[in-house]
């Protein structure tokens, strides 16, 4: 076998620094590939696409945290427990439905369910009360879908029932008809 007349090439004898440089370069390639991913595909047109076709900018739903609710908490703060947007009246502008209660610190304070729209000022305004906290019910399983507001209402059959343990359950829904929200409901359970 004949030996080469050329000197040894530096890259034929790997050293730890070479492996470190290769690993760093590979990490940079992977990181760049992660940043250059395509956007997620959706089956529906985005608000921007719809707005560009209709010639108007999309309107954001009212911010539930910015509203002033008709809820007397006796000095305590109110808590927005849940909120969901939806075009409830079919005018093309979203409303927000908010489930709100007082920050009682303990126990289960009654809930109010309010419909918000954009006011003439910066803050959203309450345009409808679907559940009044005076009814002493707690709202669970809250959804807004297809113009319908749905919730499960937990309540009490009498003042003798401990406030920790509701003994009545009703599934309720509201839908805009004409110029008001119409409620429909179904009793799921009644205590004795």
């Amino acid at each position: 076998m004949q030996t080469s007349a050329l000197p040894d090439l530096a890259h034929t004898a790997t050293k730890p620094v070479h492996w470190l440089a290769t690993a760093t370069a590979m990490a940079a390639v992977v990181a760049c590939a992660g940043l250059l991913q395509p956007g997620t595909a959706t089956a529906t047109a985005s608000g921007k696409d719809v707005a560009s076709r209709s010639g108007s900018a999309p309107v954001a739903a009212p911010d539930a945290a910015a509203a002033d609710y008709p809820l007397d908490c006796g000095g305590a703060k109110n808590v927005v427990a849940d909120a969901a947007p939806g075009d409830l009246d079919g005018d093309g502008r979203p409303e927000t439905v908010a489930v709100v209660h007082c920050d009682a610190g303990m126990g289960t304070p009654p809930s109010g369910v309010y419909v918000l729209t954009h006011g003439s000022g910066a803050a959203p305004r309450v345009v409808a009360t679907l559940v009044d906290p005076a009814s002493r019910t707690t709202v669970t399983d809250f959804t807004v879908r297809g113009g319908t507001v749905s919730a499960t209402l937990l309540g009490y059959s009498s003042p003798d029932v401990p406030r920790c343990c509701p003994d009545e359950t009703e599934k309720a829904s509201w839908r805009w008809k004409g110029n008001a929200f119409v409620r429909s409901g179904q009793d799921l359970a009644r205590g004795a």
Side-chain angles (χ1 to χ4, degrees):
M1 173 174 223
Q2 189 174 21
T3 60
S4 172
L6 298 173
D8 286 334
L9 300 175
H11 67 278
T12 59
T14 60
K15 295 181 181 163
V17 72
H18 293 115
W19 289 111
L20 182 61
T22 302
T24 303
M26 290 302 298
V29 169
V30 170
C32 286
L35 294 174
L36 299 175
Q37 293 293 321
T40 57
T42 59
T44 60
S46 69
K48 183 179 177 184
D49 295 337
V50 172
S52 65
R53 282 184 259 150
S54 66
S56 64
V59 177
D63 180 10
D68 185 25
Y69 297 97
L71 187 60
D72 181 17
C73 292
K77 294 181 180 180
N78 60 38
V79 175
V80 177
D82 205 350
D87 182 8
L88 302 176
D89 58 3
D91 67 352
R93 292 177 294 166
E95 290 77 31
T96 297
V97 183
V99 178
V100 184
H101 62 80
C102 294
D103 188 7
M106 63 181 194
T108 308
S111 303
V113 179
Y114 304 98
V115 179
L116 308 172
T117 190
H118 287 288
S120 57
R125 64 184 177 94
V126 174
V127 293
T129 300
L130 303 181
V131 175
D132 190 338
S135 68
R136 303 256 186 244
T137 57
T138 302
V139 176
T140 63
D141 302 326
F142 166 75
T143 61
V144 175
R145 189 174 298 124
T148 300
V149 179
S150 301
T152 300
L153 308 177
L154 306 176
Y156 306 93
S157 59
S158 76
D160 297 330
V161 176
R163 295 299 128 186
C164 67
C165 312
D167 64 339
E168 294 183 330
T169 305
E170 178 185 5
K171 183 72 175 169
S173 62
W174 296 263
R175 192 153 183 84
W176 182 259
K177 292 199 178 171
N179 59 356
F181 285 96
V182 177
R183 177 181 170 170
S184 60
Q186 169 187 354
D187 289 338
L188 299 176
R190 285 256 185 224

